[in-house]
Amino acid sequence: MAEHFNSIMVLMAVAVVCVWSFRRLSLPPILAYIFAGILAGPSLMEIGEPEAMDFLAELGIVFLLFTLGLEFSLPRMFAMRTLVFGVGLSQTILTALLVMGLSMLLGLSWQTAFVVGAMGAMSSTAIVIKQAAEMGFLHNRHGQISVSILLFQDLAVVPLLIIIPLLSGASDGDNMWTLIGLSAIKGITVFAILMYLGKHLLPKIFSAVASTRTDELFVLTTILVTLMAAAMTHFFGLSMALGAFLAGMMLGESQYRHQLEADIRPFRDILLGLFFVTVGMRLDVYFLIQQLHWVLLCVVCLMVVKALVIFISSKLFAVSNKQSLATALKLCQMGEFGFVIATLATHHALLSEQLASLLVSVGIISMVLSPYLIHKSYPIAKHFFPGKKPKVAAAPEESVEHKEHVVILGYGRVGQSISRLLKMEDIDYVALDADPIRVSESREAGEPVYYGHAKQKDMLRSVGIDKAKLVVISFDAPHQAMSIITTLKDINPSLPVVVRARDDKHLDEFLSVGATQVVPELLEGSLMLVSQVMHLSGIPMSRILKSIRTERKNHYGHLHGFFPGEATDLTYRKQEKLEFMHAIRMTHNANGIGQRTTEIDFSSNSVELKEIRRGQDSIEASADLTLQENDVVVISGKPRAVERFERIMLEGR
């Protein structure tokens, strides 16, 4: 146990250093994880074996496919059926046959060549989807084509895992087709079950969980649903990743979509990092050095052949040249399921150890090259196929649902009022709220409202915070709001943030953490009432507006404090939340008589001098005068501070 713990600790330390170093060099984290695996693998540091972490690494793929399912709901997948079973099917079959044919020309048996062809046909779902999510092209045309091909490849893994053991001679051909038929029946069955549960049961479960307002329970439920869906497909002999994808797809149209994605993302990213570490650990460094020329030649041949096949397959289904080439460059690497196929084929003696090492080396190097090719795929495609009317500006690499919109955090009374007025002015907006019933009701009415917690960066990014022109925090929770403002400023420092508050108790704190404007509801209500009174009293509107602007600029100074009555006195003394005003008369022998107002330290006693009454005259607080008997000192402050200052002025203590 201690040995495994030490190995994991050292492996994590290596991964942290590699990721930090690669990010400093502006290189993708995926490369850092693969490099960490190479360092930690059996060829160098010998920290551990990749097989020991295969299960946890596979969970990374499971969570990745779950989030992918959230992005591609059932209606969207139905709309993409031509791409999935058209481009995806043709690419997989053509690539496998072409690579298989080349392998047979090199002297391999047809069984071994079939395995090599199957490995070559697979692309890396983990790398492509992760890069697509980070770069924002998941919903672009070439992004959708890429996802369609990857989905069919993942589906094709299931029959491949059945066929490969049979190629070793354990069964005859009739038995092979029987098993494939049974696999198809199982696939249809589990698909129907997950479809039913996803449509009728899962939304009710998440609605009940969300109503508890417990973040931990929501996260646990999300993980449990993902793993149960994966376990169900695994029980039927299918891919765990396929079950997770179907579960995510069922929830893709629910109001919980963004929150589910935000909750699962940390687990997905950590486990995906572990997956790429295991990929790096599979590389035999000594074999790579000895056979580097053959490995590089195979890498070039594989990526060129595969890119050509994907380009041609896309063209067969009326995809433009530009989109076809961009897709081909994204998917020309070998995929993670290729390693699964290689391990299985080696176990059944279909691949020699040397050939397996060659194929694994080819796969890893092609995956290392992938982030660069994915990042440059669209610019390269645009260079070769600029189109009839090329634009001066670069084509956008991302597709967002909202742009230059207002994000409303909190969809209660105030949030809904804001949204209605924005709608009247045709201003685009999207809202987040943590009340599942309110979100459900609002979405039924067609409102762009999502269930989610605004304190999570991923949640904010999912509603386009990077492209928003304004954020409104409409709920009254000061400390939570300040935390959200800090998060918003980390994502987009120039983003204007308007905060609703009950009063101005935390006004300075809001402004200090980055709020652009704070609107104290009670004080603004009083200000509007005062403006109406002034207007009905005959004061010109220009003077009223000037007074309102001045009052806001002075942080509502004249609206602070009040004289408490019998009903409110005890309440506010207990709460000590609001300031009130109090008049102190300088009685005979009062300690304050003879003191100059400019010498009395009001601020250190946490009170503010409002005015001084001398007879019928009202003297401004800024005046410098000596207090006399029967003068009335009007101060404001919190209850205990007022009581303490009154004792000082009257009794000197």
Side-chain angles (χ1 to χ4, degrees):
M1 179 65 72
E3 182 181 351
H4 289 299
F5 177 77
N6 292 334
S7 298
I8 293 174
M9 186 171 62
V10 174
L11 182 60
M12 290 181 65
V14 171
V16 168
V17 172
C18 290
V19 172
W20 178 82
S21 302
F22 275 59
R23 293 305 293 170
R24 295 275 293 182
L25 297 173
S26 300
L27 296 174
I30 292 173
L31 298 183
Y33 287 120
I34 294 176
F35 184 72
I38 294 173
L39 292 179
S43 300
L44 296 177
M45 298 175 66
E46 298 184 1
I47 293 176
E49 295 289 337
E51 291 78 10
M53 296 181 291
D54 274 348
F55 176 71
L56 289 177
E58 188 176 0
L59 289 182
I61 306 298
V62 167
F63 288 135
L64 175 68
L65 266 293
F66 179 75
T67 56
L68 179 62
L70 292 174
E71 293 288 342
F72 290 88
S73 59
L74 186 61
R76 186 175 297 176
M77 286 302 303
F78 185 76
M80 292 171 57
R81 63 189 182 279
T82 302
L83 293 176
V84 175
F85 295 100
V87 182
L89 174 64
S90 60
Q91 177 275 325
T92 303
I93 292 178
L94 289 176
T95 304
L97 291 177
L98 190 55
V99 174
M100 180 180 175
L102 292 174
S103 300
M104 292 178 67
L105 289 177
L106 294 175
L108 299 179
S109 66
W110 74 268
Q111 293 94 336
T112 301
F114 179 86
V115 173
V116 176
M119 291 178 64
M122 298 293 109
S123 301
S124 177
T125 302
I127 291 179
V128 177
I129 298 303
K130 185 172 176 59
Q131 289 288 102
E134 290 177 355
M135 295 175 60
F137 63 77
L138 198 58
H139 297 288
N140 279 6
R141 178 64 173 170
H142 52 96
Q144 291 184 344
I145 299 171
S146 301
V147 170
S148 301
I149 295 174
L150 291 170
L151 286 178
F152 186 85
Q153 290 177 359
D154 291 341
L155 292 172
V157 169
V158 178
L160 286 174
L161 295 180
I162 297 173
I163 294 172
I164 288 174
L166 301 178
L167 293 178
S168 61
S171 301
D172 57 21
D174 293 337
N175 190 32
M176 179 190 302
W177 289 110
T178 301
L179 291 175
I180 293 176
L182 289 174
S183 175
I185 295 173
K186 290 178 180 179
I188 295 172
T189 303
V190 73
F191 180 78
I193 293 173
L194 287 176
M195 286 279 290
Y196 178 82
L197 295 177
K199 184 176 181 180
H200 299 285
L201 184 61
L202 289 184
K204 295 179 181 179
I205 291 176
F206 279 103
S207 179
V209 170
S211 64
T212 65
R213 309 293 182 88
T214 305
D215 295 348
E216 294 83 357
L217 183 59
F218 198 92
V219 174
L220 286 172
T221 306
T222 303
I223 296 173
L224 179 62
V225 166
T226 307
L227 295 179
M228 287 186 67
M232 182 177 294
T233 51
H234 182 69
F235 175 78
F236 281 91
L238 305 175
S239 167
M240 291 174 64
L242 178 62
F245 173 79
L246 292 175
M249 193 171 65
M250 295 304 99
L251 292 166
E253 290 296 312
S254 72
Q255 65 264 32
Y256 308 108
R257 166 190 157 192
H258 293 304
Q259 185 64 48
L260 289 167
E261 186 177 4
D263 286 339
I264 211 72
R265 187 185 298 270
F267 302 95
R268 184 200 70 183
D269 290 345
I270 292 172
L271 293 172
L272 265 183
L274 181 60
F275 165 76
F276 289 116
V277 169
T278 61
V279 169
M281 293 175 72
R282 296 177 188 276
L283 181 66
D284 188 338
V285 177
Y286 301 114
F287 176 85
L288 178 63
I289 294 173
Q290 294 172 359
Q291 306 293 332
L292 182 61
H293 55 295
W294 291 113
V295 172
L296 293 179
L297 178 62
C298 291
V299 169
V300 173
C301 291
L302 171 68
M303 300 184 80
V304 170
V305 168
K306 196 168 183 179
L308 286 174
V309 171
I310 294 173
F311 181 83
I312 294 171
S313 299
S314 301
K315 290 294 298 174
L316 290 175
F317 290 87
V319 179
S320 68
N321 291 328
K322 187 189 302 182
Q323 304 293 350
S324 298
L325 182 56
T327 304
L329 292 174
K330 287 180 175 67
L331 300 179
C332 61
Q333 75 287 127
M334 188 184 292
E336 53 274 354
F337 285 116
F339 302 123
V340 177
I341 293 173
T343 302
L344 184 64
T346 303
H347 177 73
H348 288 279
L350 292 172
L351 293 179
S352 65
E353 291 291 340
Q354 188 174 16
L355 181 56
S357 297
L358 174 65
L359 293 173
V360 169
S361 300
V362 170
I364 291 176
I365 292 179
S366 68
M367 293 172 79
V368 168
L369 297 174
S370 293
Y372 176 80
L373 288 175
I374 293 171
H375 183 71
K376 296 295 183 181
S377 60
Y378 198 84
I380 292 174
K382 187 180 177 183
H383 174 75
F384 283 99
F385 303 105
K388 296 181 180 180
K389 296 181 180 180
K391 298 180 180 179
V392 177
E397 266 294 305
E398 59 184 21
S399 174
V400 295
E401 296 179 0
H402 299 276
K403 187 175 182 181
E404 290 296 311
H405 58 295
V406 176
V407 177
I408 303 173
L409 304 181
Y411 203 63
R413 171 181 57 85
V414 176
Q416 292 178 43
S417 299
I418 295 171
S419 69
R420 289 166 187 165
L421 294 176
L422 291 176
K423 187 183 295 185
M424 291 172 60
E425 298 296 331
D426 290 329
I427 297 176
D428 188 22
Y429 71 91
V430 62
L432 281 179
D433 196 90
D435 186 322
I437 297 177
R438 183 184 296 143
V439 172
S440 179
E441 292 281 346
S442 303
R443 287 179 63 83
E444 284 292 327
E447 297 294 330
V449 185
Y450 295 95
Y451 175 84
H453 299 283
K455 59 187 177 183
Q456 296 173 314
K457 285 187 178 181
D458 293 330
M459 193 72 248
L460 294 170
R461 287 194 176 100
S462 69
V463 293
I465 204 69
D466 295 321
K467 299 294 183 180
K469 64 179 178 181
L470 175 67
V471 172
V472 181
I473 301 177
S474 66
F475 53 83
D476 180 31
H479 297 293
Q480 183 180 349
M482 280 186 270
S483 175
I484 292 172
I485 295 171
T486 303
T487 303
L488 289 169
K489 292 300 179 179
D490 287 341
I491 300 174
N492 188 353
S494 61
L495 181 65
V497 181
V498 177
V499 183
R500 169 236 177 169
R502 180 173 177 79
D503 51 48
D504 65 339
K505 178 181 178 181
H506 300 283
L507 188 145
D508 291 332
E509 295 177 73
F510 280 129
L511 296 176
S512 67
V513 296
T516 308
Q517 183 71 43
V518 183
V519 182
E521 191 172 9
L522 291 177
L523 298 179
E524 279 292 329
S526 300
L527 202 57
M528 291 299 99
L529 178 60
V530 170
S531 67
Q532 292 298 317
V533 172
M534 295 171 72
H535 175 64
L536 295 175
S537 299
I539 298 176
M541 186 56 67
S542 59
R543 284 180 57 188
I544 295 175
L545 294 176
K546 181 179 179 181
S547 298
I548 292 175
R549 285 195 297 268
T550 302
E551 199 62 35
R552 287 172 177 159
K553 184 177 180 181
N554 293 333
H555 294 177
Y556 310 92
H558 289 96
L559 300 182
H560 284 173
F562 61 94
F563 296 106
E566 182 179 359
T568 58
D569 190 9
L570 181 59
T571 301
Y572 288 116
R573 284 175 185 272
K574 286 182 178 180
Q575 294 181 351
E576 290 198 11
K577 291 183 178 179
L578 299 180
E579 297 180 354
F580 66 77
M581 295 176 66
H582 183 59
I584 305 174
R585 182 175 292 276
M586 296 293 101
T587 57
H588 181 65
N589 293 327
N591 182 65
I593 295 176
Q595 296 188 36
R596 301 187 67 85
T597 55
T598 54
E599 297 174 352
I600 300 174
D601 195 351
F602 292 93
S603 60
S604 65
N605 288 286
S606 302
V607 297
E608 180 183 358
L609 177 62
K610 291 295 187 180
E611 66 172 336
I612 298 173
R613 304 285 303 182
R614 179 168 291 173
Q616 299 298 319
D617 299 327
S618 175
I619 304 171
E620 292 184 358
S622 59
D624 181 12
L625 78 160
T626 302
L627 294 178
Q628 301 176 4
E629 186 176 350
N630 290 323
D631 283 351
V632 178
V633 179
V634 182
I635 61 172
S636 69
K638 293 185 178 180
R640 290 186 180 177
V642 169
E643 292 175 356
R644 184 172 58 251
F645 186 75
E646 183 176 29
R647 288 197 302 270
I648 292 173
M649 294 301 294
L650 296 180
E651 304 173 14
R653 61 181 178 85

